[in-house]
């Protein structure tokens, strides 16, 4: 999984557009891994974890954006977290989201205290750390 995350992180750090095929490759690899290890039930659970994460994040971010006019995450960040969730079970996906939220808030607080020019943390790196942390916790 680390090798699949590297191109996304490098492209994002270079401020270049990340093609959807990279997110699709991460998601399909997660589904394939779950299918190989746990069979059809594992594949279905991985698909539900990815879709659930995608729906939850999209809904929450849409409400935050409409209500408070805050643009916290982009579609690429949401796709990265959802694609990564296919590598985890539903509990792992929730742990990943919890770690991502905690790291995001901590980084935003740190950037605000330092009065950084861009108060938004690098969410792609946070998502990758959260995903790897949740996988190691499993």
């Amino acid at each position: 999984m680390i090798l699949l995350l590297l191109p996304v992180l490098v492209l994002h750090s270079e401020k270049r557009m990340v093609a959807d095929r990279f997110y699709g490759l991460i998601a399909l690899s997660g589904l394939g891994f779950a299918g190989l290890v746990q069979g059809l039930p594992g594949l279905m659970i991985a698909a539900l974890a990815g879709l659930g994460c995608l729906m939850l994040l999209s809904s929450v971010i849409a409400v935050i954006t409409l209500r408070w006019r805050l643009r916290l995450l982009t579609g690429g960040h949401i796709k990265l977290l959802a694609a990564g969730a296919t590598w985890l079970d539903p509990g792992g996906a929730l742990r990943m989201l919890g770690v991502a939220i905690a790291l995001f808030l901590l980084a935003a607080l740190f950037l605000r205290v330092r009065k950084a020019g861009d108060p938004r943390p690098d969410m792609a790196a946070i998502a990758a750390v959260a995903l790897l942390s949740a996988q190691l916790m499993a």
Side-chain angles (χ1 to χ4, degrees):
M1 177 179 29
I2 293 171
L3 293 176
L4 296 171
L5 288 173
L6 282 176
V8 173
L9 293 174
V10 169
L11 288 171
H12 183 75
S13 70
E14 293 177 348
K15 307 267 190 257
R16 293 173 50 196
M17 182 72 166
V18 180
D20 286 343
R21 67 177 166 261
F22 288 112
Y23 303 120
L25 184 61
I26 293 170
L28 288 175
S29 297
L31 293 173
F33 180 74
L36 284 174
V37 173
Q38 299 173 342
L40 186 59
L43 181 114
M44 297 301 287
I45 290 171
L48 288 174
L51 287 173
C53 189
L54 180 66
M55 290 171 46
L56 178 68
L57 283 172
S58 297
S59 301
V60 169
I61 294 302
V63 167
I64 289 172
T65 302
L66 291 173
R67 186 165 299 243
W68 293 297
R69 307 269 190 244
L70 293 174
R71 186 162 161 84
L72 299 176
L73 301 179
T74 65
H77 299 138
I78 294 169
K79 288 184 275 190
L80 178 57
L81 287 166
T86 62
W87 284 84
L88 307 168
D89 61 0
L94 288 175
R95 282 191 301 274
M96 176 193 65
L97 291 176
V99 170
I101 290 167
L103 288 174
F104 182 83
L105 292 174
L106 187 65
L109 179 67
F110 181 75
L111 289 172
R112 183 162 299 246
V113 168
R114 290 193 55 198
K115 297 187 183 359
D118 184 11
R120 289 191 323 176
D122 183 4
M123 191 55 202
I126 289 173
V129 168
L131 175 60
L132 294 173
S133 298
Q135 191 174 36
L136 291 174
M137 287 185 230

